[in-house]
Amino acid sequence: MDKKSVSRRNFLGTTAIGAAGIVGVAGLAASCSEKKVQVSFVPPPLKAVDGQPIRAGVIGCGGRGTGAVINFLNAGNNLEIVAAGDLFDDKMVRFRESLKNKKGVELADEKCFVGFDAYERVLAEDINYVIIATPPHFRPMQFEAAVKARKNVFMEKPVAVDPVGARRIIVAGKQAASMGLSVVSGTQRRHQWNYLEMFEHVKAGAIGDFVAGYAYWDQNKLWHVNADPAWSEMEAMVRNWVNWLWLSGDHIVEQHVHNIDVINWFKGDVYPVEAVGYGSRQRRVTGDQYDNFSVDFVYEDGTHMHSMCRQINGSHGNVSEFIMGTKGRTDCRHKIFNHDGTVLSETSDNPWPDTDEAKNALNEKYNSPYDQEHIHLVNAIRKGTPVNEAEHVASSTLTAIMGRISAYTGKRTTWDEMMNSEVHYQPEVYDFGPVNSVPKDVPVPGEAADA
Amino acid sequence: MSGKLFKRIQLWTLITGVVLGGILLLGFNKVVEATSTDEFCNKCHFHPHATTSWKQGVHYNTASGTIVHCVECHLPPKGEGYLPEKVVTGLRDVYGAVFKDSADFNWDLKSRPDNAVHFTKDVSCVHCHQNLYPLEITHEGMDAHLYYEQQEGDVSCIKCHIDAGHYHEGILHAANVDFGTSDKLPDTVYLQPAIVETFEDFTERLPLSAVSFSMKAIPGGTFTMGAGGDDAFAQPGELPEREVTLDPFFMSETEVTWEEYLTWYSQTSGEGRTTDIGMLEGIDGLSGATPPYGNPDQGWGKGKRPAITMTYYAAEKYCEWLSLVTDKTYRLPTEAEWEYAARGGTTGPYFFGGEVKDYADVGLRARLFGVDTSVINSYAVYIQNSEGRSQLPGAVRPNPFGLKNMLGNVAEFCQDIYIENAYTQYPGPVVNPVVVAGGNEHVVRGGSFLSDAAELRVSARSKTNHDAWLRTDPQIPKSLWWYSDCYHVGFRVVCEFDDHLTTK
């Protein structure tokens, strides 16, 4: 047994890159005077291979769950959705309508489950593939249950809201791997053709060694739901989950994990060892979360990642990543630049074409990354070459949590603290009543004991 | 010689060689097999510490009925160093069987996990237990195994799975919520603490308990602290000598006993135990220890045996409580007070006279003729006479101040922050010195049942080792109150002779 297999320095390994259909580096340009590296890139498959029938269940039938089911059904032949679960009846009704309208699929009443135990009932159905798209708070318990039920899993990001939850995902991921199950997560940039192509360039040495990374998700305010007086506190919170820490992990975790994950991924699936963050709440309407964070992460080799995220109307928008290397720099999704700003190389196609003709051609050649995730997962199952992204997505989730806790407390946080932290947000009971034992106040940096 | 004959001889030589080689190989394999059975091991390892405890243990009584054999744990797997290790351990065992008597071995000490790791390697454990995260694992188990993998060699399997191979009644690696609750309390109950008005020995009484203990009046004075220049065993931290003057104080005759410590433990509330206790008037809140993880008394018994495995912080909190319930000023001794009290007016390495070479099993003369240990044996519990565990105070004679077990039995916390060159930084003459900054660890003095004669010297200094002493505590966060990996340290208390006493 490799004793160090989970140590943060050795996370490299077993994930989905191979499944993306890349053949890798054809040859370094060592003999040429040109410093451009030669990369031969094969676009990821447009459709999953044919094979054993896949029968999927979905847990969490909101917007993303509905979308994920459609993405799954788009991925290939002989793919079927057979069961669904959600906490709320109205969500289930809308989900079934969408499914009927968009894909012509009708689910029988007895295969649709509503309530806090809906996930257990979905897992008890005859399925071999489960899509988990509930609010992040529920991910650890539902992923653990899915692994125990021996299901292949597609789960949305982030995968936890606290360190205890992230560790539970890591372990359940190991259990899934040891049983030959496949796990793909909704950090879809890892399945997006232009990121995959740039990753090959970076891996081949196009920008040299990693110097610094920058991750951004600055946007307008996200949605909120005002509580109906007839609702219990639990219902009001879950329906408004993107504004509550215990349900979403705050927006640095819930949304910005995408960009943080890209930097960690391009660095070689390495995770920061410490963080010092700022953050505050300026304009958020409901809940207990901040609406802006700025975090300086430090990797073990002394290099840094700066992460910025904001959800405030009328402010500058920027959702992207940027990596500085010793030889050049990259936007991770289109171009490699020399230090003088000239373009060294770029993706084989322009991801943002100007003409309709070019746009159509691009759509013929490449899938949406949301469909692509399911193609990769279905292929892994049908070809018998399991993928497992659980540990990567849990570690990037934990990176974001480490940044959040630093911003909340004003203290420096470390990876070791995260691996040993007892912070775990858990309501006393899961029912439609008052919600106890979870934080509800906005943390004050310098005063918050932990977070 | 004709070529034909030569070829024939060659052929016969070859055939003979192959046959002989085959026989040898077969014989060798037979020997390896025959010397790897449980029966063969048990021919020498017949003592109950090996065979019986194995048969009572979980690897003999597995849920599936599979019996795990001696060599499967005590030798590395085949192909991973099995034969070389077998040869080495075989030679060592033969030497032991011929030249030693197993009755002389300190089995208690030898079966401690810190020793057992030398002949129960992780490579053997994980050869069978390949999956550290089976589906049935608890969340606590998950966190513990993640921790194990992150520690990269600092923690071994049996440090936590402490009785995996051999059943051991006293040793435990599990939550121990009931610790101390079943110990029967005597009938007599003191309602008031001792009243002290003059500077002489007294017996302290713990209110609402039947527990009392003796305090010795230690007169103030001036002494020379540190190791003498002629002490060949002196470590740099014990030098140079310095002149120290101290005020008078009281010191407990013995190390704090389990019955004293458990009085505090049961009178202050903590997780998992009742908070419904009789509070003393005027005291409305005291923090007490949470229950231990593991078995603090190691199964040796409690009563008047010294309390051990408490953290430095817990010892401090005990003193705060003791001060409150007795209306006096109790605290840990300073390092200077400790050495002054231990010397009892004597100079030299031991208050009972003699030098290290008189007692230690080192040097040719000692090896050939042995050493006369009757003197040291009557004053100190140390590695040569301790049987690997602490002993009751009655086992030894007191020092000139009437204090018992200053040297040996269990080592003792002092107030001072440990700085190696403290005597250089703060040379004599000094009055009532105590180091309060400059490090994170505290001074530990006095040697223990694990110490050799050199470590027992009155000037010998040691220190706490906070992280290492909590390494296998699986709780998150780790305990504030109990060390998981230190069982040789306790403490004794001093009481100040201050206005608190005399103005009453």
Side-chain angles (χ1 to χ4, degrees):
Chain A
M1 186 199 64
D2 180 5
K3 245 204 94 182
K4 298 180 181 175
S5 59
V6 282
S7 121
R8 60 174 173 264
R9 289 178 288 282
N10 290 281
F11 276 123
L12 275 172
T14 52
T15 348
I17 306 305
I22 295 159
V23 294
V25 185
L28 294 170
S31 57
C32 315
S33 55
E34 256 249 276
K35 64 172 182 170
K36 189 166 169 175
V37 296
Q38 301 298 314
V39 171
S40 69
F41 174 71
V42 175
L46 281 169
K47 204 176 160 196
V49 296
D50 287 343
Q52 59 164 304
I54 306 283
R55 297 176 310 279
V58 58
I59 299 166
C61 299
R64 186 75 274 273
T66 307
V69 168
I70 290 166
N71 298 137
F72 160 72
L73 295 173
N74 288 341
N77 299 327
N78 215 353
L79 304 173
E80 202 186 348
I81 175 83
V82 298
D86 198 279
L87 188 51
F88 300 112
D89 202 40
D90 57 308
K91 298 277 180 189
M92 181 59 75
V93 168
R94 206 178 311 158
F95 163 73
R96 292 170 75 177
E97 275 169 16
S98 296
L99 199 58
K100 193 172 153 189
N101 294 339
K102 290 184 180 152
K103 301 301 286 186
V105 175
E106 289 194 62
L107 278 179
D109 288 349
E110 65 269 22
K111 299 295 180 189
C112 298
F113 308 102
V114 171
F116 282 103
D117 65 347
Y119 74 99
E120 290 167 323
R121 300 174 70 184
V122 169
L123 289 171
E125 289 295 312
D126 180 23
I127 58 174
N128 52 8
Y129 192 108
V130 64
I131 293 165
I132 308 178
T134 47
H137 168 82
F138 300 100
R139 199 85 71 254
M141 73 170 93
Q142 292 173 349
F143 179 55
E144 281 179 342
V147 171
K148 282 210 163 71
R150 278 81 165 168
K151 307 301 179 199
N152 298 291
V153 177
F154 173 83
M155 59 177 167
E156 264 308 331
K157 44 48 60 179
V159 293
V161 298
D162 51 42
V164 170
R167 291 200 301 270
R168 283 168 62 175
I169 297 281
I170 290 174
V171 171
K174 288 169 180 291
Q175 294 173 330
S178 76
M179 293 190 288
L181 298 170
S182 286
V183 181
V184 165
S185 76
T187 37
Q188 79 279 351
R189 285 162 177 74
R190 289 185 185 242
H191 304 267
Q192 189 168 335
W193 70 271
N194 48 331
Y195 278 93
L196 288 166
E197 187 170 1
M198 274 298 108
F199 178 76
E200 286 305 304
H201 283 265
V202 169
K203 201 168 80 175
I207 62 166
D209 294 332
F210 183 97
V211 173
Y214 303 82
Y216 310 95
W217 195 306
D218 297 333
Q219 68 156 55
N220 283 338
K221 162 186 182 301
L222 206 61
W223 54 268
H224 77 274
V225 174
N226 287 318
D228 185 317
W231 291 346
S232 64
E233 188 180 20
M234 178 65 85
E235 178 163 7
M237 281 182 145
V238 176
R239 286 189 185 276
N240 190 30
W241 66 271
V242 296
N243 293 291
W244 289 104
L245 165 65
W246 74 274
L247 284 157
S248 97
D250 211 329
H251 67 111
I252 184 175
V253 178
E254 198 278 318
Q255 191 172 52
H256 188 37
V257 66
H258 280 300
N259 322 100
I260 289 171
D261 183 59
V262 167
I263 306 296
N264 289 341
W265 168 36
F266 273 58
K267 193 165 160 52
D269 285 318
V270 171
Y271 302 91
V273 293
E274 59 182 68
V276 174
Y278 297 177
S280 67
R281 178 186 172 105
Q282 304 294 335
R283 305 275 303 279
R284 190 173 292 279
V285 183
T286 59
D288 61 348
Q289 295 183 170
Y290 283 8
D291 54 18
N292 65 90
F293 288 91
S294 170
V295 184
D296 177 38
F297 290 100
V298 186
Y299 292 98
E300 190 161 45
D301 62 7
T303 59
H304 288 238
M305 161 170 54
H306 184 203
S307 112
M308 290 166 66
C309 57
R310 181 165 59 187
Q311 293 182 343
I312 293 181
N313 281 343
S315 59
H316 176 68
N318 174 17
V319 179
S320 67
E321 303 84 17
F322 190 82
I323 294 175
M324 183 69 88
T326 49
K327 291 187 194 161
R329 51 196 200 235
T330 180
D331 59 8
C332 302
R333 55 185 177 177
H334 189 195
K335 289 174 179 171
I336 305 277
F337 302 92
N338 294 307
H339 282 314
D340 64 7
T342 55
V343 174
L344 174 68
S345 51
E346 51 192 309
T347 48
S348 32
D349 295 282
N350 178 5
W352 298 280
D354 300 327
T355 65
D356 285 349
E357 203 183 6
K359 277 178 193 165
N360 289 337
L362 197 70
N363 288 339
E364 297 268 307
K365 193 170 174 185
Y366 303 109
N367 274 316
S368 111
Y370 304 101
D371 287 352
Q372 199 69 54
E373 303 171 314
H374 291 276
I375 295 173
H376 288 155
L377 180 51
V378 171
N379 273 354
I381 297 165
R382 286 185 170 164
K383 291 178 175 176
T385 51
V387 297
N388 197 314
E389 298 186 342
E391 196 156 309
H392 293 314
V393 69
S395 299
S396 282
T397 299
L398 193 54
T399 305
I401 290 169
M402 175 165 77
R404 177 194 76 207
I405 294 180
S406 176
Y408 277 5
T409 59
K411 308 284 194 302
R412 188 185 74 128
T413 49
T414 69
W415 187 264
D416 282 344
E417 285 165 11
M418 295 303 106
M419 288 309 283
N420 292 294
S421 165
E422 59 171 340
V423 172
H424 187 40
Y425 307 127
Q426 181 93 17
E428 268 169 25
V429 285
Y430 290 104
D431 65 9
F432 289 115
V435 179
N436 294 317
S437 308
V438 298
K440 296 175 192 173
D441 298 325
V442 181
V444 178
E447 288 180 12
D450 51 22
Chain B
M1 200 191 294
S2 80
K4 228 179 191 178
L5 181 63
F6 182 68
K7 274 195 181 154
R8 199 174 293 158
I9 291 173
Q10 258 190 331
L11 186 64
W12 275 110
T13 315
L14 188 67
I15 290 170
T16 317
V18 168
V19 169
L20 272 178
I23 291 170
L24 273 176
L25 201 63
L26 273 177
F28 178 72
N29 278 339
K30 281 248 184 267
V31 169
V32 169
E33 267 174 45
T35 57
S36 298
T37 62
D38 297 333
E39 292 72 27
F40 185 82
C41 298
N42 292 341
K43 275 182 185 153
C44 293
H45 298 279
F46 52 80
H47 40 86
H49 314 86
T51 315
T52 311
S53 61
W54 163 62
K55 288 190 171 176
Q56 292 174 353
V58 293
H59 270 86
Y60 191 92
N61 300 289
T62 59
S64 63
T66 311
I67 290 176
V68 182
H69 304 286
C70 304
V71 294
E72 290 177 82
C73 296
H74 292 304
L75 288 178
K78 285 182 177 152
E80 294 178 56
Y82 181 85
L83 277 180
E85 185 69 15
K86 185 172 171 60
V87 171
V88 171
T89 53
L91 289 174
R92 195 170 54 220
D93 285 355
V94 168
Y95 173 83
V98 175
F99 294 103
K100 293 189 170 176
D101 181 351
S102 73
D104 295 340
F105 291 157
N106 191 336
W107 290 111
D108 218 42
L109 209 54
K110 280 196 180 298
S111 52
R112 300 286 316 184
D114 11 352
N115 190 51
V117 294
H118 298 308
F119 40 81
T120 318
K121 302 262 168 64
D122 286 10
V123 61
S124 308
C125 306
V126 299
H127 182 68
C128 292
H129 299 277
Q130 292 174 31
N131 186 354
L132 293 189
Y133 304 96
L135 282 182
E136 288 71 29
I137 197 168
T138 60
H139 288 136
E140 291 75 17
M142 289 177 184
D143 273 334
H145 283 176
L146 277 177
Y147 178 73
Y148 169 76
E149 293 194 297
Q150 298 246 318
Q151 289 297 301
E152 296 174 7
D154 288 342
V155 176
S156 51
C157 303
I158 61 165
K159 283 260 184 160
C160 295
H161 299 281
I162 218 157
D163 56 355
H166 297 264
Y167 181 69
H168 197 310
E169 203 166 2
I171 288 183
L172 180 73
H173 190 76
N176 192 355
V177 176
D178 296 333
F179 177 71
T181 54
S182 60
D183 297 79
K184 196 177 174 328
L185 291 172
D187 297 334
T188 335
V189 171
Y190 299 118
L191 295 176
Q192 294 298 325
I195 293 177
V196 177
E197 283 165 341
T198 54
F199 188 68
E200 52 194 38
D201 297 356
F202 69 97
T203 299
E204 185 59 278
R205 298 186 293 257
L206 297 181
L208 303 182
S209 86
V211 176
S212 64
F213 55 91
S214 170
M215 294 294 293
K216 298 290 179 190
I218 311 296
T222 298
F223 80 113
T224 304
M225 185 174 182
D230 55 344
D231 185 345
F233 290 84
Q235 301 300 308
E238 301 171 40
L239 303 168
E241 288 180 312
R242 60 175 183 175
E243 193 182 281
V244 176
T245 302
L246 295 171
D247 294 337
F249 57 95
F250 301 97
M251 186 178 245
S252 59
E253 180 191 15
T254 67
E255 290 140 345
V256 171
T257 64
W258 274 121
E259 63 179 23
E260 293 160 38
Y261 198 72
L262 289 174
T263 304
W264 165 66
Y265 182 73
S266 61
Q267 285 193 6
T268 54
S269 53
E271 162 201 317
R273 281 180 290 118
T274 175
T275 54
D276 183 22
I277 49 153
M279 272 290 179
L280 293 164
E281 200 182 335
I283 301 169
D284 57 3
L286 280 167
S287 66
T290 51
Y293 194 94
N295 194 3
D297 73 325
Q298 316 295 306
W300 302 337
K302 298 192 265 298
K304 295 205 182 296
R305 220 176 263 271
I308 47 174
T309 80
M310 77 292 291
T311 60
Y312 180 87
Y313 174 80
E316 273 188 323
K317 290 290 147 190
Y318 172 86
C319 293
E320 285 176 22
W321 168 83
L322 187 58
S323 303
L324 269 168
V325 298
T326 61
D327 198 19
K328 302 184 185 68
T329 309
Y330 277 99
R331 56 172 173 78
L332 294 172
T334 68
E335 187 176 11
E337 286 168 345
W338 189 94
E339 186 170 326
Y340 176 70
R343 287 184 176 279
T346 66
T347 56
Y350 304 108
F351 66 78
F352 44 78
E355 296 177 49
V356 175
K357 66 175 170 57
D358 301 330
Y359 306 123
D361 206 5
V362 292
L364 188 62
R365 190 181 63 92
R367 293 250 167 112
L368 288 178
F369 303 108
V371 286
D372 178 4
T373 51
S374 55
V375 174
I376 190 170
N377 277 341
S378 64
Y379 286 102
V381 176
Y382 73 127
I383 189 72
Q384 298 293 349
N385 64 10
S386 68
E387 293 169 359
R389 55 174 68 181
S390 70
Q391 300 295 331
L392 292 168
V396 295
R397 295 159 65 186
N399 83 349
F401 282 155
L403 303 166
K404 288 182 163 185
N405 281 323
M406 290 302 286
L407 309 185
N409 209 23
V410 299
E412 299 169 17
F413 294 127
C414 292
Q415 257 191 27
D416 301 54
I417 297 284
Y418 181 85
I419 303 178
E420 169 148 30
N421 63 353
Y423 306 167
T424 316
Q425 278 195 41
Y426 308 102
V430 280
V431 178
N432 296 324
V434 55
V435 179
V436 296
N440 298 317
E441 304 290 355
H442 287 270
V443 170
V444 170
R445 284 296 212 120
S448 75
F449 57 87
L450 293 174
S451 301
D452 60 28
E455 290 164 336
L456 237 52
R457 290 173 307 108
V458 71
S459 60
R461 306 176 71 217
S462 171
K463 63 180 169 64
T464 55
N465 197 348
H466 187 267
D467 289 348
W469 289 359
L470 278 165
R471 186 154 282 143
T472 61
D473 182 352
Q475 303 172 108
I476 297 177
K478 289 173 183 292
S479 180
L480 278 175
W481 305 99
W482 303 97
Y483 290 131
S484 53
D485 297 69
C486 166
Y487 66 108
H488 69 284
V489 182
F491 65 103
R492 76 176 71 217
V493 294
V494 303
C495 177
E496 292 190 4
F497 183 60
D498 56 10
D499 297 346
H500 214 95
L501 301 177
T502 49
T503 55
K504 260 191 298 233

